Amino acid sequence: DLPAALPEGLELVAFPERADARDALVTRERGATLESLPRGARVGTGSVRRMAQLRALRPDLEVVPLRGNVPTRLRKLESENLDAVILACAGLERLGLADRIDERLAPEVMLPAVAQGILAIEGRAGDAIARDAAALGHAATAAQAAAERGVLVRLEADCNVPLGAYAEASATGLRLRALLAAVEGDRMARAEAEAAVDEAGALGERVADALLASGGAALLAELRAGAST
């Protein structure tokens, strides 16, 4: 994972083409969907973003905190008697485990994390090898990363903040959607906007400001106050 701010002397030199940005539902019995899971089903996730959206979508489910790498989390379906876990489609695909995915959750259902599915090449600023690595970049993915990370940087958020952001191509260039939620899922601020591709970073800042104005500022203050106690 990349921090919102990079250490001095380092830069992001390229973003290869994005993999599937969606979240994946993996179930123990196979073939189930988020909608078809029974009341009281135990669903594991280690992401506060997923927890918040899951509780908002299905308050009747039991959300179980989950830790460990992908194989460990899959094993916990059995060892911790879970009915399902939510992971990233991209991570499962890169590990050759795409066949374990029972449902790919559309962004309209569960908004992905900032830059989910995107790999970044980071290098020393001005380094010749870093300049050569720029050839591996994918322009559309770079614009998506800039817009989504623009939200992250503006909010000074980290992985402890239930924040989702997803940029995609639109008629005007780029459409960006974002949400900021309470971990309990009972309150949520949403915002979206469009802009030209070359304004991706500014688009992220604009959407972040809209989030703050629509209730996100209070949510962020509560989250930070809770983290400091």
Side-chain angles (χ1 to χ4, degrees), residues 39-122:
R39 292 178 61 86
R42 290 165 48 82
V43 181
T45 176
S47 159
V48 291
R49 172 190 59 85
R50 292 175 182 140
M51 288 179 182
Q53 293 186 82
L54 187 58
R55 286 168 174 151
L57 289 164
R58 291 288 309 270
D60 58 306
L61 300 178
E62 180 184 352
V63 179
V64 180
L66 197 60
R67 294 289 181 266
N69 59 25
V70 170
T72 297
R73 295 185 189 204
L74 291 175
R75 285 195 297 272
K76 287 183 177 181
L77 273 170
E78 298 292 341
S79 66
E80 297 195 8
N81 194 33
L82 301 175
D83 295 286
V85 296
I86 300 179
L87 301 167
C89 286
L92 289 164
E93 289 175 346
R94 287 169 180 148
L95 291 170
L97 297 170
D99 62 328
R100 295 297 305 270
I101 299 173
D102 290 293
E103 183 182 14
R104 295 174 187 261
L105 302 173
E108 292 75 20
V109 175
M110 185 167 288
L111 204 63
V114 168
Q116 185 161 301
I118 298 178
L119 297 176
I121 300 174
E122 183 177 355

Side-chain angles (χ1 to χ4, degrees), residues 143 146-147 172 174 176 194-206:
T172 57
L174 205 61
L176 175 63
E194 297 189 19
V197 171
D198 60 1
E199 298 173 354
L203 174 62
E205 294 179 1
R206 180 151 54 95

Side-chain angles (χ1 to χ4, degrees), residues 1-2 12 14-22 88 90-91 94 113-121 138-149 165-167:
D1 291 342
L2 283 172
L12 300 177
F15 297 93
E17 186 171 2
R18 188 175 208 165
D20 192 335
R22 292 173 292 182
R94 287 169 180 148
V114 168
Q116 185 161 301
I118 298 178
L119 297 176
I121 300 174
H138 183 258
T141 298
Q144 292 167 0
E148 295 170 22
R149 283 179 58 80
Y166 180 62

Side-chain angles (χ1 to χ4, degrees), residues 27-39:
T27 64
R28 186 174 57 189
E29 298 299 329
R30 303 310 312 269
T33 65
L34 184 57
E35 184 177 2
S36 71
L37 287 174
R39 292 178 61 86

